[in-house]
Amino acid sequence: MRSVWGFQMGRVSRRAFALAALSGLAVVKGSAAAPHGPRAAATQGPRAAAGRGPRAVTEMRGVWVATVKNRDWPSRTGLSADEQRKELMAHLDRAARDRLNTVIFQVRPTADALWPSPYEPWSEYLTGTQGLSPGWDPLGTAVTEAHARGLQLHAWFNPYRIADHGEPEKLVASHPARRHPDWAVPYGGRLYYNPGLPEVRAFVQDAMLDAVARYPVDAVHFDDYFYPYPVAGQAFDDDAAFDRYGGGFANRAAWRRDNVDRLMREIGARIKRIRPGTQFGVSPFGVWRNARNDPLGSDTRAGVQTYDDLHADTRTWVRENWIDYIAPQVYWHLGFADADYAELVPWWAEVAKGSKTKLYVGEALYKAGAAGQPSAWRDPVELSRHLTFAAAYPEVRGHVFFSAREVATDPAGAMARVIADHYLQPASPPR
C-alpha cells in the first residue's frame, strides 16, 4: 500500500460535482452524515429504508493488516510467540467489535512467508532474522481464529517484491533469489523478481498457492505492486528477458502488461482448481489512466497510472472477469483537484457495471488527523462522507480500511464516526 503519491497539477476535475456532494453531506455535530441521492434511505445507520425497520445487510467491511516493516503487526520483531499471538488476536477482536467482517492479512510481504512454506523463508518481520521460525503458524492461526469470530480471512500476497534493499547477499542463503540470481532485478534501492521470466511467474504462483492448498482462506489478495513504481532516472533492467520473450509485441510496455495479465489469468484459474469457492481480489492504485491519455480514463491528473507505470491493466481485469473483486485505493478526499474521490468512485462504478467483478473502495483511514495531510482530513467526518457518497452507486459493494493500526487506535475518531453512521448493524460480506 502506498501512502505518498505525486500528482501533476492541472484543472480541477468534476469540482462542482464534488462541492455539490459536500454541501449535500453537511452534518450537525454529533449526528450521522445526512444522506442524499437515489439511495439516501439506504445510508442511514444499518441501511434500512425509513419505516421498514432493520434488514439483512450484505457489504464488504474490511481492514488490511500489514506486516511489511512491522506496519501493523507484529508491533516489532523479536516478540515471543505468545506476544505475537496476543497482538494478532487483538486485531481480530477489534475488527469483530467494530462490526467489520473481513481481515486482509499480509502473509507474503517480501518473497517470504508467515506460514511454514517449503518455497520461501520465514519472514524477517517476525523474529528479526529471515528464515528463523517464530515457533508457531501465524497464517494457520489467523484463519482459524478469524473464522471463529465470524470474520473472513483474505491472504494478502505481494507477487514480485523480494526485499526493501538492493543487496542479494543480505538474503538468507537458501532464498530462491540467491539460488537463481538471474531472477532478481535491483531497482530503486530494492530487489524485485523479474515478471518477464516464465519460470519466475510459475515459481511465485507455486509459492503463493501453497498457502491456498494448506489453509481454508476465503480469498487470495494482491495489492498495488506489479512492476515497481517508477523511480526518476532509473530503468528496470529486463532487457535480456524482453529480447528473449518480447517478439511480437509492439513495444516493451505492451509486453510487460501481457506478463502481468498472464499472472492474473493463470493464478485465478489455479485458485479455483485448488480450492473452489476461494475468491481472488486485487487492490490497485486508484487511477487506471488519466482521461487526457485515454478517453476511457478518469478525469484525474494523477502522476502515476497503473496501466502505463505499473503495467497493470486493472480495467481489463474487471471487464473480463479475471478477478472476483477489485478494491481500488481511492485514497483522496472529496474535492481533491487532481484525484477527486467524487470522480473516481463513479468511474470505477461504471467500469464494474455489468461485470461479475465486485467493487469495494479502499479507504485512507491512515490519513484521518495525520500531520501533513490536507485540511479535509482533519475533519473526523470526512471518511463517513465517503461511505455516504459511495452508497449512491449500487456497484459499490463495500469498503476496506487502511489499516489495522488506525482501526485500533483511531486517533482522529474517524473510524468511530464511520461505525456510528454506517455500521450500527452487522453485515455479511458479499460472496
Side-chain angles (χ1 to χ4, degrees), residues 57-61 101-102 150 152 154 279 360 427-431:
V57 178
T58 300
E59 65 178 353
M60 167 61 72
R61 298 178 183 175
N101 56 33
T102 302
Q152 284 198 355
H154 294 200
Q279 300 178 74
Y360 312 134
S428 300
R431 295 287 181 175

Side-chain angles (χ1 to χ4, degrees), residues 195-266:
L197 297 176
E199 57 268 36
V200 164
R201 189 168 66 247
F203 171 78
V204 298
Q205 289 180 49
D206 290 344
M208 294 184 288
L209 291 171
D210 177 68
V212 179
R214 287 171 181 258
Y215 308 104
V217 298
D218 297 288
V220 167
H221 182 92
F222 287 176
D223 54 27
D224 50 320
Y225 291 89
F226 294 95
Y227 278 85
Y229 280 83
V231 177
Q234 298 189 33
F236 187 81
D237 185 7
D238 55 2
D239 289 352
F242 181 56
D243 290 344
R244 185 172 183 181
Y245 299 109
F249 291 92
N251 51 51
R252 189 178 306 228
W255 169 71
R256 286 177 174 176
R257 277 189 294 276
D258 183 71
N259 292 330
V260 179
D261 284 350
R262 286 173 183 266
L263 171 72
M264 302 301 290
R265 291 196 304 267
E266 291 169 5

